[in-house]
Amino acid sequence: MDSTSRLQRLKNREERRMSNVNDAMEKSKEAKLSGLPDKVLHHILSFLDTKLAVQTCVLGRKWKYLWQSVSSLHFNCDSFSNSAHYKKFVKQVLLQRDESKELKKFTIDYSGCDPILKQVTNYLENHGFGLQELCFSVYCDMRALSPFLPHLSAWKSLRTLKLEKLVLPKNFLFDFGSLTSLCLKACWLPWDKGEPHDPFRGCLSLKSLRINGCRIWVPVKTFEISAPEVTYLEISWMDCQGYDPHYGISLTTSKLRSFSFEGTKLIAISTRGLPSLEKVFIHLGQKFPTTEDSTSENERKHLIKLLQELGNAKSLTLSLEIIRVLSKIPDLLQSHSSPFTEVHCFAMSLSIY
């Protein structure tokens, strides 16, 4: 036997040995993981997409049915090759889940009104009494889900609600007394023209409110936000169809500590005093008007008034576009003293849009 063959045999033997060592290490890791209490494993699985959680059933006998009693369900259509496979998966998970186990968090992402949504809402109506967090990202008219809405109000355990890509019922009221966090993203909010509307007045425990990229269809004259416990408010890229220059937002949230506004069209915002205000972030995109016309004049006046309304802030961040706008109206600024007498921190944000 020549030296080349001998070296090859030694190399093959070493590769087999290392492979066995690696297999033993992997089995040791799996054994340690499987040796954890079910409560710990359930907690780990609750952070996974439900598709991944179900796939852990192949790890061993202990894992075969573990996913069925996880307290969180996260359905993401992007992890499936087509909608038919996605709908079948959602249906089978709901059918096989251990109904004796409390469901605390539910997330679903889907495009279009479909019978599968009716199955989802029926399941939640029957098994969602302990739900603490609900995220609905479904591109459809929520009026089709209107029988489901009263159940949301009845769930005293619900703390976090996120609605995305939904057309809400006309003049819809968020009557959720136990809710502490609400996020509306890319939703349509149809309200009667000319009528003041305060959709969040029933949210008596709400702390955080985010309104991102929502469209107000046929705007009301005044959009009121009076949830009494709100400390964080974020309004960004609100699209007002049929914009009325006299349209405005009225804030009567006396406990507000942080306020953020982003967009290219500045809406008139009024307050009744914000004594607890600490942090303000205002970002206006490059489409904010600086030309001399009636529209731009109104928006510049809105800007001056808004800055005056937020004068209690301790920390202030303004976009570069705001600085540019203010630099074009020195005469108007000279007639107003700076309202920010309490500011300890000032920053400028650059446009990334």
Side-chain angles (χ1 to χ4, degrees), residues 44-58:
I44 294 172
L45 292 180
S46 70
F47 293 98
L48 298 180
D49 183 284
T50 297
K51 183 180 180 180
L52 292 176
V54 172
Q55 289 173 340
T56 62
C57 68
V58 301

Side-chain angles (χ1 to χ4, degrees), residues 207-338:
K207 302 287 187 182
S208 173
L209 174 60
R210 291 175 169 87
I211 306 173
N212 307 134
C214 291
R215 176 176 295 179
I216 297 179
W217 187 255
V218 188
V220 295
K221 186 174 182 180
T222 303
F223 174 37
E224 298 181 10
I225 300 177
S226 67
E229 298 296 323
V230 165
T231 59
Y232 179 88
L233 174 61
E234 177 182 311
I235 301 174
S236 62
W237 309 103
M238 183 178 285
D239 182 8
C240 301
Q241 297 292 309
Y243 179 74
D244 183 341
H246 300 293
Y247 167 76
I249 296 176
S250 175
L251 305 181
T252 56
T253 50
S254 60
K255 295 185 179 180
L256 190 67
R257 297 178 61 185
S258 178
F259 175 72
S260 173
F261 183 92
E262 295 184 72
T264 56
K265 183 180 289 293
L266 186 60
I267 300 168
I269 298 177
S270 62
T271 73
R272 296 181 185 174
L274 300 172
S276 303
L277 191 63
E278 295 181 0
K279 187 176 181 180
V280 170
F281 176 92
I282 305 177
H283 185 107
L284 297 179
Q286 294 182 355
K287 293 182 179 180
F288 187 77
T290 58
T291 56
E292 296 299 329
D293 58 44
S294 58
T295 301
S296 62
E297 183 181 357
N298 282 331
E299 293 199 47
R300 287 196 296 270
K301 288 180 179 179
H302 293 338
L303 175 58
I304 296 297
K305 186 175 186 300
L306 175 60
L307 295 177
Q308 291 175 326
E309 296 278 1
L310 304 176
N312 288 333
K314 309 292 188 302
S315 173
L316 177 65
T317 302
L318 302 178
S319 66
L320 178 60
E321 196 63 22
I322 293 180
I323 305 301
R324 288 174 179 166
V325 171
L326 294 177
S327 69
K328 293 180 180 294
I329 51 174
D331 294 339
L332 184 58
L333 290 179
Q334 287 179 358
S335 62
H336 297 85
S337 59
S338 173

Side-chain angles (χ1 to χ4, degrees), residues 164-180:
E164 184 174 357
K165 299 180 291 189
L166 286 168
V167 179
L168 296 173
K170 194 173 185 179
N171 297 330
F172 182 68
L173 293 176
F174 292 85
D175 189 16
F176 307 127
S178 62
L179 207 63
T180 59

Side-chain angles (χ1 to χ4, degrees), residues 67-80:
W67 65 269
Q68 294 181 348
S69 50
V70 174
S71 62
S72 300
L73 293 176
H74 308 277
F75 296 113
N76 184 1
C77 62
D78 291 337
S79 59
F80 290 82

